[in-house]
Amino acid sequence: AAVVVAAAVVVAAAVVVAAAVVVAAAVVVAATVVVAATVVVAATVIVSIPVVAASAVVATAPATVRVIAAVIAFARTRITSEVLSRRRRAAPAALSLRSGVVAK
C-alpha cells in the first residue's frame, strides 16, 4: 500500500510539474505574441507617419501654390504701381527742365 501511495504521489507530482511546464510555455508564447503584436503596431505607426505627412503635403500643395502665386501677383502689382507712380511724379520735373521753367 505504501508503494502504491508513493507511486501516486510521484505521478501527481509529475502531473503538477507537467502542468507547470505547460502553463509556463503558454505564458512565454503569450508574451511572445504580445511583443510581436507590439512590434507590428509600432512598425505600422512608424511607416504610416511619413505616408500621412506625404499625403498632407500632396493634399495641401495646390493651396500652397495658389497662395504663392497670389503673393507673387500682389508683389508684381505693387512694384508696377510704385514704378508708374514714380514715373508720374518725375515726369513734370523732366518736362519743366526741358522748357527751362522751374516746377513748384
Side-chain angles (χ1 to χ4, degrees):
V3 173
V4 173
V5 171
V9 169
V10 169
V11 170
V15 169
V16 169
V17 169
V21 169
V22 169
V23 169
V27 168
V28 169
V29 168
T32 305
V33 168
V34 168
V35 169
T38 304
V39 169
V40 168
V41 169
T44 304
V45 169
I46 290 169
V47 168
S48 67
I49 289 171
V51 171
V52 169
S55 299
V57 169
V58 169
T60 58
T64 305
V65 169
R66 283 195 296 270
V67 168
I68 292 171
V71 168
I72 291 171
F74 174 77
R76 287 179 66 189
T77 303
R78 182 78 180 151
I79 291 169
T80 303
S81 172
E82 186 64 28
V83 168
L84 291 176
S85 175
R86 288 185 184 192
R87 284 184 186 165
R88 280 191 221 105
R89 281 184 266 152
L95 290 174
S96 64
L97 287 175
R98 283 191 213 132
S99 62
V101 177
V102 177
K104 293 184 180 181

